[in-house]
Amino acid sequence: MANLIKKAGHLGRAYAVLELVYRQFYKNGKDANEAYLKMLPLVKDAIKTHGRDSEVAIGALELLADLAPFGAKRRNFKRRYVDKPDGWKQLPADPNQLSYGYWY
């Protein structure tokens, strides 16, 4: 009985790790791509309407950057597309065209 409980505990931990990996690499990527497609026109409109240095434009760019995966990819995304004054112009219409080093 104790052996069965021990095996169930290992299976539970393995399931939790697999679920975390799935959410981090697949589900979150799909959700981020959908949000990117909806937010990009809003970001570009905010920049054209209020200017690149306005709070609205900076906030919209930051929200877009927060969709990128945590860590080096998000840092790379911010450096290339948010921190550079004309970086937003390089954002592709399709998130699948973003390099792996910047997106999912």
PDB file of all heavy atoms in Angstrom, residues 30-56:
ATOM      1  N   LYS A  30      -0.164  30.462 -27.584  1.00  0.00           N
ATOM      2  CA  LYS A  30      -1.374  30.621 -28.394  1.00  0.00           C
ATOM      3  C   LYS A  30      -2.175  31.834 -27.913  1.00  0.00           C
ATOM      4  O   LYS A  30      -2.611  32.651 -28.721  1.00  0.00           O
ATOM      5  CB  LYS A  30      -2.224  29.357 -28.306  1.00  0.00           C
ATOM      6  CG  LYS A  30      -3.475  29.401 -29.132  1.00  0.00           C
ATOM      7  CD  LYS A  30      -4.295  28.136 -28.954  1.00  0.00           C
ATOM      8  CE  LYS A  30      -5.621  28.284 -29.661  1.00  0.00           C
ATOM      9  NZ  LYS A  30      -6.553  27.228 -29.320  1.00  0.00           N
ATOM     10  N   ASP A  31      -2.344  31.951 -26.615  1.00  0.00           N
ATOM     11  CA  ASP A  31      -3.080  33.086 -26.045  1.00  0.00           C
ATOM     12  C   ASP A  31      -2.356  34.405 -26.330  1.00  0.00           C
ATOM     13  O   ASP A  31      -2.985  35.410 -26.648  1.00  0.00           O
ATOM     14  CB  ASP A  31      -3.255  32.918 -24.534  1.00  0.00           C
ATOM     15  CG  ASP A  31      -4.159  31.758 -24.171  1.00  0.00           C
ATOM     16  OD1 ASP A  31      -4.895  31.273 -25.054  1.00  0.00           O
ATOM     17  OD2 ASP A  31      -4.116  31.327 -23.006  1.00  0.00           O
ATOM     18  N   ALA A  32      -1.029  34.374 -26.227  1.00  0.00           N
ATOM     19  CA  ALA A  32      -0.249  35.585 -26.485  1.00  0.00           C
ATOM     20  C   ALA A  32      -0.367  35.998 -27.951  1.00  0.00           C
ATOM     21  O   ALA A  32      -0.471  37.191 -28.248  1.00  0.00           O
ATOM     22  CB  ALA A  32       1.213  35.355 -26.115  1.00  0.00           C
ATOM     23  N   ASN A  33      -0.368  35.039 -28.860  1.00  0.00           N
ATOM     24  CA  ASN A  33      -0.513  35.366 -30.284  1.00  0.00           C
ATOM     25  C   ASN A  33      -1.864  36.007 -30.565  1.00  0.00           C
ATOM     26  O   ASN A  33      -1.955  36.980 -31.316  1.00  0.00           O
ATOM     27  CB  ASN A  33      -0.338  34.118 -31.146  1.00  0.00           C
ATOM     28  CG  ASN A  33       1.107  33.702 -31.280  1.00  0.00           C
ATOM     29  OD1 ASN A  33       2.011  34.437 -30.923  1.00  0.00           O
ATOM     30  ND2 ASN A  33       1.311  32.509 -31.792  1.00  0.00           N
ATOM     31  N   GLU A  34      -2.912  35.478 -29.952  1.00  0.00           N
ATOM     32  CA  GLU A  34      -4.251  36.055 -30.135  1.00  0.00           C
ATOM     33  C   GLU A  34      -4.312  37.476 -29.576  1.00  0.00           C
ATOM     34  O   GLU A  34      -4.868  38.378 -30.205  1.00  0.00           O
ATOM     35  CB  GLU A  34      -5.300  35.171 -29.471  1.00  0.00           C
ATOM     36  CG  GLU A  34      -5.508  33.846 -30.178  1.00  0.00           C
ATOM     37  CD  GLU A  34      -6.468  32.927 -29.439  1.00  0.00           C
ATOM     38  OE1 GLU A  34      -7.143  33.385 -28.486  1.00  0.00           O
ATOM     39  OE2 GLU A  34      -6.540  31.748 -29.824  1.00  0.00           O
ATOM     40  N   ALA A  35      -3.748  37.678 -28.399  1.00  0.00           N
ATOM     41  CA  ALA A  35      -3.749  39.015 -27.793  1.00  0.00           C
ATOM     42  C   ALA A  35      -2.894  39.984 -28.609  1.00  0.00           C
ATOM     43  O   ALA A  35      -3.262  41.149 -28.775  1.00  0.00           O
ATOM     44  CB  ALA A  35      -3.242  38.936 -26.353  1.00  0.00           C
ATOM     45  N   TYR A  36      -1.775  39.511 -29.135  1.00  0.00           N
ATOM     46  CA  TYR A  36      -0.896  40.341 -29.963  1.00  0.00           C
ATOM     47  C   TYR A  36      -1.653  40.852 -31.181  1.00  0.00           C
ATOM     48  O   TYR A  36      -1.570  42.034 -31.518  1.00  0.00           O
ATOM     49  CB  TYR A  36       0.314  39.515 -30.393  1.00  0.00           C
ATOM     50  CG  TYR A  36       1.301  40.236 -31.286  1.00  0.00           C
ATOM     51  CD1 TYR A  36       2.410  40.866 -30.748  1.00  0.00           C
ATOM     52  CD2 TYR A  36       1.140  40.282 -32.667  1.00  0.00           C
ATOM     53  CE1 TYR A  36       3.326  41.520 -31.546  1.00  0.00           C
ATOM     54  CE2 TYR A  36       2.039  40.933 -33.477  1.00  0.00           C
ATOM     55  CZ  TYR A  36       3.136  41.552 -32.929  1.00  0.00           C
ATOM     56  OH  TYR A  36       4.031  42.192 -33.724  1.00  0.00           O
ATOM     57  N   LEU A  37      -2.392  39.962 -31.829  1.00  0.00           N
ATOM     58  CA  LEU A  37      -3.147  40.355 -33.027  1.00  0.00           C
ATOM     59  C   LEU A  37      -4.202  41.408 -32.710  1.00  0.00           C
ATOM     60  O   LEU A  37      -4.491  42.274 -33.540  1.00  0.00           O
ATOM     61  CB  LEU A  37      -3.804  39.127 -33.663  1.00  0.00           C
ATOM     62  CG  LEU A  37      -2.850  38.138 -34.333  1.00  0.00           C
ATOM     63  CD1 LEU A  37      -3.595  36.869 -34.735  1.00  0.00           C
ATOM     64  CD2 LEU A  37      -2.176  38.780 -35.528  1.00  0.00           C
ATOM     65  N   LYS A  38      -4.763  41.355 -31.513  1.00  0.00           N
ATOM     66  CA  LYS A  38      -5.774  42.332 -31.121  1.00  0.00           C
ATOM     67  C   LYS A  38      -5.154  43.642 -30.629  1.00  0.00           C
ATOM     68  O   LYS A  38      -5.732  44.704 -30.815  1.00  0.00           O
ATOM     69  CB  LYS A  38      -6.663  41.745 -30.028  1.00  0.00           C
ATOM     70  CG  LYS A  38      -7.532  40.606 -30.527  1.00  0.00           C
ATOM     71  CD  LYS A  38      -8.332  39.988 -29.421  1.00  0.00           C
ATOM     72  CE  LYS A  38      -9.135  38.808 -29.963  1.00  0.00           C
ATOM     73  NZ  LYS A  38      -9.833  38.094 -28.895  1.00  0.00           N
ATOM     74  N   MET A  39      -3.987  43.554 -30.016  1.00  0.00           N
ATOM     75  CA  MET A  39      -3.371  44.743 -29.422  1.00  0.00           C
ATOM     76  C   MET A  39      -2.538  45.565 -30.395  1.00  0.00           C
ATOM     77  O   MET A  39      -2.432  46.780 -30.228  1.00  0.00           O
ATOM     78  CB  MET A  39      -2.488  44.344 -28.241  1.00  0.00           C
ATOM     79  CG  MET A  39      -3.270  43.959 -27.021  1.00  0.00           C
ATOM     80  SD  MET A  39      -2.205  43.716 -25.602  1.00  0.00           S
ATOM     81  CE  MET A  39      -1.519  45.344 -25.405  1.00  0.00           C
ATOM     82  N   LEU A  40      -1.942  44.933 -31.390  1.00  0.00           N
ATOM     83  CA  LEU A  40      -1.050  45.666 -32.287  1.00  0.00           C
ATOM     84  C   LEU A  40      -1.728  46.857 -32.962  1.00  0.00           C
ATOM     85  O   LEU A  40      -1.156  47.955 -32.960  1.00  0.00           O
ATOM     86  CB  LEU A  40      -0.436  44.726 -33.327  1.00  0.00           C
ATOM     87  CG  LEU A  40       0.615  45.363 -34.227  1.00  0.00           C
ATOM     88  CD1 LEU A  40       1.804  45.859 -33.406  1.00  0.00           C
ATOM     89  CD2 LEU A  40       1.079  44.375 -35.276  1.00  0.00           C
ATOM     90  N   PRO A  41      -2.939  46.712 -33.501  1.00  0.00           N
ATOM     91  CA  PRO A  41      -3.591  47.903 -34.083  1.00  0.00           C
ATOM     92  C   PRO A  41      -3.844  48.999 -33.051  1.00  0.00           C
ATOM     93  O   PRO A  41      -3.725  50.186 -33.356  1.00  0.00           O
ATOM     94  CB  PRO A  41      -4.908  47.364 -34.643  1.00  0.00           C
ATOM     95  CG  PRO A  41      -4.710  45.908 -34.801  1.00  0.00           C
ATOM     96  CD  PRO A  41      -3.724  45.499 -33.749  1.00  0.00           C
ATOM     97  N   LEU A  42      -4.156  48.612 -31.816  1.00  0.00           N
ATOM     98  CA  LEU A  42      -4.374  49.595 -30.756  1.00  0.00           C
ATOM     99  C   LEU A  42      -3.084  50.322 -30.406  1.00  0.00           C
ATOM    100  O   LEU A  42      -3.091  51.535 -30.172  1.00  0.00           O
ATOM    101  CB  LEU A  42      -4.943  48.905 -29.517  1.00  0.00           C
ATOM    102  CG  LEU A  42      -6.287  48.200 -29.703  1.00  0.00           C
ATOM    103  CD1 LEU A  42      -6.658  47.435 -28.442  1.00  0.00           C
ATOM    104  CD2 LEU A  42      -7.360  49.198 -30.062  1.00  0.00           C
ATOM    105  N   VAL A  43      -1.982  49.596 -30.376  1.00  0.00           N
ATOM    106  CA  VAL A  43      -0.682  50.203 -30.085  1.00  0.00           C
ATOM    107  C   VAL A  43      -0.322  51.214 -31.162  1.00  0.00           C
ATOM    108  O   VAL A  43       0.053  52.353 -30.871  1.00  0.00           O
ATOM    109  CB  VAL A  43       0.406  49.116 -29.959  1.00  0.00           C
ATOM    110  CG1 VAL A  43       1.794  49.716 -29.936  1.00  0.00           C
ATOM    111  CG2 VAL A  43       0.175  48.268 -28.714  1.00  0.00           C
ATOM    112  N   LYS A  44      -0.450  50.810 -32.411  1.00  0.00           N
ATOM    113  CA  LYS A  44      -0.094  51.706 -33.517  1.00  0.00           C
ATOM    114  C   LYS A  44      -1.002  52.936 -33.556  1.00  0.00           C
ATOM    115  O   LYS A  44      -0.544  54.048 -33.810  1.00  0.00           O
ATOM    116  CB  LYS A  44      -0.135  50.948 -34.839  1.00  0.00           C
ATOM    117  CG  LYS A  44       1.004  49.949 -34.949  1.00  0.00           C
ATOM    118  CD  LYS A  44       1.063  49.299 -36.299  1.00  0.00           C
ATOM    119  CE  LYS A  44       2.280  48.375 -36.372  1.00  0.00           C
ATOM    120  NZ  LYS A  44       2.492  47.829 -37.700  1.00  0.00           N
ATOM    121  N   ASP A  45      -2.287  52.743 -33.262  1.00  0.00           N
ATOM    122  CA  ASP A  45      -3.215  53.868 -33.233  1.00  0.00           C
ATOM    123  C   ASP A  45      -2.879  54.820 -32.080  1.00  0.00           C
ATOM    124  O   ASP A  45      -2.926  56.040 -32.248  1.00  0.00           O
ATOM    125  CB  ASP A  45      -4.648  53.349 -33.092  1.00  0.00           C
ATOM    126  CG  ASP A  45      -5.662  54.466 -33.173  1.00  0.00           C
ATOM    127  OD1 ASP A  45      -5.606  55.233 -34.160  1.00  0.00           O
ATOM    128  OD2 ASP A  45      -6.502  54.576 -32.250  1.00  0.00           O
ATOM    129  N   ALA A  46      -2.525  54.260 -30.915  1.00  0.00           N
ATOM    130  CA  ALA A  46      -2.166  55.105 -29.768  1.00  0.00           C
ATOM    131  C   ALA A  46      -0.927  55.929 -30.076  1.00  0.00           C
ATOM    132  O   ALA A  46      -0.849  57.110 -29.718  1.00  0.00           O
ATOM    133  CB  ALA A  46      -1.934  54.237 -28.537  1.00  0.00           C
ATOM    134  N   ILE A  47       0.034  55.343 -30.758  1.00  0.00           N
ATOM    135  CA  ILE A  47       1.260  56.069 -31.089  1.00  0.00           C
ATOM    136  C   ILE A  47       0.977  57.167 -32.108  1.00  0.00           C
ATOM    137  O   ILE A  47       1.463  58.291 -31.978  1.00  0.00           O
ATOM    138  CB  ILE A  47       2.343  55.100 -31.594  1.00  0.00           C
ATOM    139  CG1 ILE A  47       2.806  54.215 -30.435  1.00  0.00           C
ATOM    140  CG2 ILE A  47       3.519  55.848 -32.202  1.00  0.00           C
ATOM    141  CD1 ILE A  47       3.718  53.081 -30.838  1.00  0.00           C
ATOM    142  N   LYS A  48       0.165  56.852 -33.099  1.00  0.00           N
ATOM    143  CA  LYS A  48      -0.152  57.857 -34.118  1.00  0.00           C
ATOM    144  C   LYS A  48      -1.006  58.985 -33.554  1.00  0.00           C
ATOM    145  O   LYS A  48      -0.858  60.138 -33.937  1.00  0.00           O
ATOM    146  CB  LYS A  48      -0.841  57.200 -35.307  1.00  0.00           C
ATOM    147  CG  LYS A  48       0.099  56.335 -36.118  1.00  0.00           C
ATOM    148  CD  LYS A  48      -0.605  55.653 -37.262  1.00  0.00           C
ATOM    149  CE  LYS A  48       0.357  54.736 -38.002  1.00  0.00           C
ATOM    150  NZ  LYS A  48      -0.302  53.958 -39.038  1.00  0.00           N
ATOM    151  N   THR A  49      -1.900  58.671 -32.647  1.00  0.00           N
ATOM    152  CA  THR A  49      -2.801  59.664 -32.081  1.00  0.00           C
ATOM    153  C   THR A  49      -2.128  60.519 -31.011  1.00  0.00           C
ATOM    154  O   THR A  49      -2.251  61.742 -31.015  1.00  0.00           O
ATOM    155  CB  THR A  49      -4.038  58.980 -31.472  1.00  0.00           C
ATOM    156  OG1 THR A  49      -4.655  58.173 -32.466  1.00  0.00           O
ATOM    157  CG2 THR A  49      -5.035  59.997 -30.962  1.00  0.00           C
ATOM    158  N   HIS A  50      -1.433  59.882 -30.079  1.00  0.00           N
ATOM    159  CA  HIS A  50      -0.890  60.582 -28.914  1.00  0.00           C
ATOM    160  C   HIS A  50       0.612  60.824 -28.978  1.00  0.00           C
ATOM    161  O   HIS A  50       1.135  61.564 -28.152  1.00  0.00           O
ATOM    162  CB  HIS A  50      -1.206  59.792 -27.637  1.00  0.00           C
ATOM    163  CG  HIS A  50      -2.664  59.592 -27.407  1.00  0.00           C
ATOM    164  ND1 HIS A  50      -3.488  60.592 -26.958  1.00  0.00           N
ATOM    165  CD2 HIS A  50      -3.457  58.505 -27.583  1.00  0.00           C
ATOM    166  CE1 HIS A  50      -4.722  60.128 -26.849  1.00  0.00           C
ATOM    167  NE2 HIS A  50      -4.732  58.863 -27.227  1.00  0.00           N
ATOM    168  N   GLY A  51       1.299  60.189 -29.904  1.00  0.00           N
ATOM    169  CA  GLY A  51       2.750  60.327 -29.980  1.00  0.00           C
ATOM    170  C   GLY A  51       3.454  59.196 -29.269  1.00  0.00           C
ATOM    171  O   GLY A  51       2.925  58.607 -28.323  1.00  0.00           O
ATOM    172  N   ARG A  52       4.643  58.907 -29.701  1.00  0.00           N
ATOM    173  CA  ARG A  52       5.414  57.774 -29.179  1.00  0.00           C
ATOM    174  C   ARG A  52       5.773  57.946 -27.709  1.00  0.00           C
ATOM    175  O   ARG A  52       5.839  56.976 -26.957  1.00  0.00           O
ATOM    176  CB  ARG A  52       6.689  57.592 -30.027  1.00  0.00           C
ATOM    177  CG  ARG A  52       7.751  56.649 -29.469  1.00  0.00           C
ATOM    178  CD  ARG A  52       7.227  55.237 -29.352  1.00  0.00           C
ATOM    179  NE  ARG A  52       8.238  54.299 -28.894  1.00  0.00           N
ATOM    180  CZ  ARG A  52       8.520  54.061 -27.625  1.00  0.00           C
ATOM    181  NH1 ARG A  52       7.899  54.699 -26.667  1.00  0.00           N
ATOM    182  NH2 ARG A  52       9.435  53.167 -27.297  1.00  0.00           N
ATOM    183  N   ASP A  53       5.996  59.144 -27.255  1.00  0.00           N
ATOM    184  CA  ASP A  53       6.443  59.370 -25.882  1.00  0.00           C
ATOM    185  C   ASP A  53       5.309  59.634 -24.899  1.00  0.00           C
ATOM    186  O   ASP A  53       5.569  59.957 -23.736  1.00  0.00           O
ATOM    187  CB  ASP A  53       7.438  60.531 -25.850  1.00  0.00           C
ATOM    188  CG  ASP A  53       8.712  60.199 -26.615  1.00  0.00           C
ATOM    189  OD1 ASP A  53       9.115  59.023 -26.601  1.00  0.00           O
ATOM    190  OD2 ASP A  53       9.291  61.109 -27.241  1.00  0.00           O
ATOM    191  N   SER A  54       4.074  59.491 -25.342  1.00  0.00           N
ATOM    192  CA  SER A  54       2.944  59.711 -24.440  1.00  0.00           C
ATOM    193  C   SER A  54       2.785  58.523 -23.496  1.00  0.00           C
ATOM    194  O   SER A  54       3.248  57.418 -23.760  1.00  0.00           O
ATOM    195  CB  SER A  54       1.658  59.910 -25.236  1.00  0.00           C
ATOM    196  OG  SER A  54       1.279  58.699 -25.859  1.00  0.00           O
ATOM    197  N   GLU A  55       2.118  58.768 -22.368  1.00  0.00           N
ATOM    198  CA  GLU A  55       1.858  57.701 -21.399  1.00  0.00           C
ATOM    199  C   GLU A  55       1.016  56.596 -22.014  1.00  0.00           C
ATOM    200  O   GLU A  55       1.220  55.423 -21.713  1.00  0.00           O
ATOM    201  CB  GLU A  55       1.149  58.264 -20.162  1.00  0.00           C
ATOM    202  CG  GLU A  55       2.048  58.998 -19.211  1.00  0.00           C
ATOM    203  CD  GLU A  55       1.310  59.397 -17.944  1.00  0.00           C
ATOM    204  OE1 GLU A  55       0.418  58.641 -17.497  1.00  0.00           O
ATOM    205  OE2 GLU A  55       1.627  60.463 -17.410  1.00  0.00           O
ATOM    206  N   VAL A  56       0.067  56.970 -22.846  1.00  0.00           N
ATOM    207  CA  VAL A  56      -0.818  55.988 -23.481  1.00  0.00           C
ATOM    208  C   VAL A  56      -0.012  55.045 -24.370  1.00  0.00           C
ATOM    209  O   VAL A  56      -0.154  53.822 -24.304  1.00  0.00           O
ATOM    210  CB  VAL A  56      -1.920  56.698 -24.304  1.00  0.00           C
ATOM    211  CG1 VAL A  56      -2.759  55.695 -25.066  1.00  0.00           C
ATOM    212  CG2 VAL A  56      -2.781  57.559 -23.410  1.00  0.00           C
TER     213      VAL A  56
END
